[in-house]
Amino acid sequence: MTAKTSKKILVAYATDSGSTADVAKIIGEELEKSSATVEVLPVEQVDSLEGFSAAVIGAPEIVGWHRAAKRFVHNNREGLAQIPVAYFFTLMSLTDPGSDSFQGIPLACDGELTHPPTKEGTLSFKEKYASVENYLKSVLKEAPMVKPVGVAFFGGKLSYYRMNWFRRLFVMAIINANPGDRRNWNFIRTWATGVAPLLKQEK
């Protein structure tokens, strides 16, 4: 058995129906294989960042990134700025960014989730909404001093019956997403394995 190091990584998540919690748990399992100690918790249960040497924070993207996750990032921005941080999103649609980085931040986008723009050189309203820029900028705004070592966009799981009428209408009209499970476990595990060394770096 590999001995654990002194590194302790927090995997904090927000979720509505539990599907993003499943993603967080898988990420935690993969990070533990890198000999780190990992704690997977809902953001509401994280009282302090004390003792953590890195953090991975994730949440679903429906009408914006989950408010609890954004609030957590904002409230802990000073502490997060002192340690390596990675973000992940679960969602049902993503416009192909055409790049593996955004403002110098490494991106990992599930190829089974992305779709190219309908018209080269321009984006429709729906394509702009489902863009990396739109999704990520609002999160970076919560903690401008935090530059994540990586950001991942994973397929999520969508069930209309678990959503209120406004979210259901928004997803149907704006995102145009169909119910189903688009989580790609191999992609999620691969990303977690790849980001592990970055989370162990000293800031």
Side-chain angles (χ1 to χ4, degrees):
M1 181 179 294
T2 305
K4 301 295 183 183
T5 68
S6 59
K7 299 289 185 181
K8 186 178 181 182
I9 301 174
L10 169 68
V11 179
Y13 64 89
T15 189
D16 283 330
S17 61
S19 59
T20 303
D22 295 337
V23 174
K25 291 173 184 175
I26 292 298
I27 291 172
E29 289 177 7
E30 293 303 311
L31 292 177
E32 284 187 332
K33 294 178 183 178
S34 70
S35 301
T37 299
V38 181
E39 194 163 351
V40 181
L41 292 169
V43 290
E44 297 89 348
Q45 293 183 19
V46 182
D47 297 322
S48 170
L49 294 176
E50 185 176 352
F52 291 106
S53 58
V56 178
I57 305 164
E61 172 76 38
I62 302 178
V63 187
W65 210 40
H66 198 293
R67 284 182 291 180
K70 291 178 71 172
R71 184 165 54 247
F72 177 82
V73 168
H74 178 79
N75 291 344
N76 292 278
R77 59 193 182 279
E78 293 183 2
L80 292 172
Q82 305 303 315
I83 60 176
V85 174
Y87 297 139
F88 73 87
F89 295 67
T90 56
L91 58 163
M92 299 301 286
S93 179
L94 182 68
T95 304
D96 191 338
S99 174
D100 58 3
S101 68
F102 176 78
Q103 296 183 356
I105 301 167
L107 300 177
C109 304
D110 185 351
E112 297 182 7
L113 179 70
T114 60
H115 54 83
T118 303
K119 186 177 180 181
E120 186 175 354
T122 185
L123 299 179
S124 67
F125 174 77
K126 289 182 180 180
E127 290 168 345
K128 284 181 180 178
Y129 186 86
S131 68
V132 165
E133 180 176 5
N134 180 54
Y135 289 152
L136 188 50
K137 269 192 170 181
S138 66
V139 178
L140 297 177
K141 185 179 179 181
E142 297 297 328
M145 68 284 286
V146 178
K147 183 175 181 179
V149 298
V151 174
F153 293 89
F154 303 135
K157 183 178 180 181
L158 177 63
S159 299
Y160 282 156
Y161 76 91
R162 290 180 175 271
M163 305 172 71
N164 62 38
W165 68 269
F166 174 76
R167 287 191 171 190
R168 186 181 308 159
L169 180 63
F170 181 87
V171 169
M172 294 174 67
I174 303 301
I175 303 301
N176 197 25
N178 296 316
D181 190 346
R182 303 196 66 183
R183 293 173 296 179
N184 182 341
W185 299 113
N186 287 335
F187 184 80
I188 293 167
R189 289 183 183 278
T190 298
W191 177 78
T193 299
V195 84
L198 302 177
L199 294 171
K200 290 185 175 184
Q201 294 178 354
E202 298 293 337
K203 290 205 73 175

